[in-house]
Amino acid sequence: MLKTHTKWKVKEELPLSEVKRQELDPESTYTSLFLSLCLQRGLETAEEIQQFLQPDETWIHDPFMLKDMDKAVSRIMEAIENGERITVYGDYDSDGVTSTAVLKETIEMIGGEVNFYIPNRFNDGYGPNVQAFESLISSGTALILTCDNGISGHEAIARANELGVDVIVTDHHEVPAELPAAYAIIHPRHPDGNYPFGELAGVGVAFKLATALLGEMPFELLDLVAIGTIADLVSLTGENRALVLQGLAVLKDSQRIGIAALCKVAGVKQSEIDEETIGFILAPRLNAIGRLGDATPAVELLTTFDEEEAVKLAKQINEKNIERQTIVASITAEAFNMIEKNNSDPHVYVLAKEGWHEGVLGIVASKVVGKTGKPAIVLNIDKEKGSAKGSGRSVAAYHLYHALEDVAHLTTTFGGHHMAAGLTVPIENIPTIQTELNAFLVQSGLEDQLAEEIVIDEQLKLTDITLEAIEEIQQLAPFGTDNLKPTFILEKAKAQDVRRIGSDQAHLKLKLVNDETSLDVIGFQFGSVAEEIGIDAELTLVGKLSINEWNGLRKPQLMIEDLAIEGTQVFDLRSTQISPTIWKLASADYVFFDKKNYEANVEKIAEASSAQLITDFSATEGFKMQTAHLILVDCPPDLAWLSRLLQNCHPEKITVCFYSQENAYLEGMPTRDQFTKVYKFITTHVNINVRQQLNVLADFLKIKENLLIFMISVFFEVGFVTIKDGVMNIVQNTEKRELTKTDKYQKRLRKIEAEEALIYSHFTELESWLKAQLKKEL
């Protein structure tokens, strides 16, 4: 058995009748799978499907529908006419730097004097900062234009007003109960506005202002809009879908030399950029520099016209990303080491240490949640300040913000939402917060609901997965929030060629096969699972489809999200020697049937494991497992012993070694002629020294020594011979006995049967037999 790491939730199936199929696709050009995915997205007519696949200009709304847009445009134009310096005040993430670049370039296009300021995450914090505003104003700024921040900047905006400088806010974050006293607030969810689409990213809001200032839509800026919108994980529906689709097209052919330089250092073909390229390659690099320090170089990269400078900045940003990855890996390893040493096994992790880089703690928290399925808060301890600051990430069942509200009295500050939060706490309160957050979870009755959730769109068969099917699904892209890339489940698919890949062997590769086709499967960070998958195991996998292109060859592949194997798994380690690796297992039940083998190896077994020696049939009935892993070290003398033992336990894994010092199966049973030959020799000789000269006798009789020992033991059982002090003699005038009825003879037959079934059988036959015994009733 291989258990899932996540909770699987299959979407409710929407029946696709023939009538509905005709409504959705009158020309019958789409597959049923594609139409089902459309229905799940609320596309219920052919027209809706077509509009979704190819959104037109009607999806892009008039920017003047945004509250305060006309007021903001007038003030900016006035500033340009009067030669006032305008400062674009941005943010340090991808959405913030692209927003800044959009507004900076727009104001430059219409002749304004403009500079920009990106607050430092560590010195300024997020959003408007009083000291930063004062510094900008003292340096000559006459108008501040925020982007991707400002909606909660009450104090700094009030200070700017005192100094006689107007602030125009463009933002998309949660609107507070009281708005700041800005000159104008452009926000898609402004409480006094009626803009038809409220999910714009910060760069989307900046782009709307740019459009209003220019009097037409600046298509050349859509490359930046695509990057910021995808990176910020806002809804990829409605207007955002239209902006991103067009932005991706612009991005693939963008003349922006900073983008070209970034693609080059990242090893990306600009002509092949899609939402995954942005989400997993470009955006992390733009984010990295702001996580570790000043994000100003990111804006400079996006706006420079100097090719040499672009190359230098791209390398600098790429190096920062490598540094960020190194820091994340180090902190993550330390965090998991803490978890392993934590004997209490909490439902919510609160991990804190001095010297952890605050800029990456959200990433580390996400990794902890991903591996453990439990909410996690990761904090950096600052002993000088007496506080710890960091980030938290959660799972669907646990509302992190509500939980933090419950312990607000223990924090200095906190903020966030359902799945993520940031907080600062006094160092002495960390243990109490750990206790209280766990108590909140228990009181909410969520102990059994933890683990990340994967929503599954459809069940597929291997034969459903073709290049054509994947290309058809790809028409629904770009995928992201509210338009997730479809996730599929394949049940009981046979796995072959299972192996670990990657320089650190961290990833999994295998092939799913049936009689008709096969499918390549990749599992990033699933490398450790390779050892958990037995030969020809039947997997149930959840994942996303993609196309792997290599040397001109295009093949479908499945990218694993999670996997499981039902029932007991059997692992084959049968050999002429016992593999030393089996003694290193941290938790297992070792079963021996050979006393000498038990005594030779029992000390090698780890403390968390257990070992039991089975020397008779009755001992099998009392066998109880302590763990979920059963290791059958050596071969039992009788199949019935193993059958009864297996009926008493319910292992998730069975590892079979079935080591045997003897080879009864290969030696076989003596023939009648051999018994006769030995008997005649005994009757014609006296005082045969079987202790010291048995090998000589075996050579003389041309019978294998082990076989000869067995034959003598049979003669001894029926009373044909006596053996005293190693000397054997015939017993005269004994009754005739059937040798095949003796216990010794029958015991050897059972030993041969066991060796044949357990050591020399094909693995599939052995696996079937073992699993059949598990299902038997006592």
Side-chain angles (χ1 to χ4, degrees), residues 223 250-260 270 304-305:
D223 53 356
V250 173
L251 192 55
K252 291 175 182 179
D253 195 36
S254 175
Q255 301 305 302
R256 196 178 296 275
I257 58 177
I259 294 292
Q270 187 173 337
T304 185
F305 292 97

Side-chain angles (χ1 to χ4, degrees), residues 229-448:
T229 302
I230 290 169
D232 215 50
L233 302 179
V234 293
S235 176
L236 284 189
T237 59
E239 188 171 12
N240 280 344
R241 176 175 174 80
L243 292 171
V244 169
L245 265 174
Q246 294 181 67
L248 286 171
V250 173
L251 192 55
K252 291 175 182 179
D253 195 36
S254 175
Q255 301 305 302
R256 196 178 296 275
I257 58 177
I259 294 292
L262 186 60
C263 287
K264 186 172 182 179
V265 297
V268 170
K269 289 184 179 179
Q270 187 173 337
S271 61
E272 297 177 1
I273 289 176
D274 60 14
E275 72 273 23
E276 292 187 353
T277 312
I278 293 171
F280 296 109
I281 300 176
L282 300 183
R285 284 166 169 78
L286 293 173
N287 280 330
I289 195 160
R291 287 187 181 279
L292 301 187
D294 182 13
T296 298
V299 180
E300 293 172 341
L301 174 72
L302 296 174
T303 58
T304 185
F305 292 97
D306 185 326
E307 191 167 340
E308 186 176 330
E309 183 186 32
V311 170
K312 183 184 74 172
L313 289 168
K315 287 180 179 178
Q316 177 186 347
I317 287 171
N318 197 56
E319 287 167 2
K320 281 293 181 183
N321 187 56
I322 294 170
E323 182 184 348
R324 187 268 307 170
Q325 290 172 326
T326 302
I327 293 170
V328 168
S330 174
I331 298 175
T332 301
E334 291 181 20
F336 281 119
N337 187 44
M338 286 183 182
I339 290 171
E340 289 175 11
K341 292 180 178 178
N342 189 337
N343 297 323
S344 63
D345 192 25
H347 298 301
V348 181
Y349 291 113
V350 178
L351 308 170
K353 187 178 179 183
E354 190 175 7
W356 280 355
H357 199 297
E358 292 176 16
V360 301
L361 298 186
I363 300 174
V364 176
S366 293
K367 290 182 178 292
V368 173
V369 174
K371 187 171 182 178
T372 67
K374 297 179 179 181
I377 291 173
V378 184
L379 304 166
N380 172 58
I381 293 175
D382 187 331
K383 287 187 176 178
E384 287 187 10
K385 295 181 179 178
S387 63
K389 184 179 180 182
S391 299
R393 297 292 184 269
S394 193
V395 296
Y398 187 78
H399 200 298
L400 186 56
Y401 185 80
H402 289 168
L404 288 173
E405 280 185 315
D406 199 56
V407 297
H409 59 287
L410 297 171
T411 70
T412 305
T413 60
F414 77 92
H417 52 81
H418 182 167
M419 300 291 285
L423 68 161
T424 302
V425 302
I427 296 173
E428 63 272 16
N429 288 354
I430 293 174
T432 309
I433 285 176
Q434 167 90 72
T435 302
E436 292 297 320
L437 290 176
N438 275 276
F440 179 86
L441 186 143
V442 172
Q443 291 164 8
S444 303
L446 301 174
E447 298 102 313
D448 299 326

Side-chain angles (χ1 to χ4, degrees), residues 505-523:
Q505 299 289 285
H507 313 307
L508 173 69
K509 185 171 185 181
L510 57 88
K511 193 182 293 289
L512 299 180
V513 298
N514 64 16
D515 295 335
E516 301 174 63
T517 188
S518 65
L519 176 68
D520 290 337
V521 176
I522 299 291

Side-chain angles (χ1 to χ4, degrees), residues 151 168 299 425 495 612 692 718 727:
I151 197 67
I168 296 173
V299 180
V425 302
Q612 188 162 338
Q692 297 179 352
V718 296
V727 175

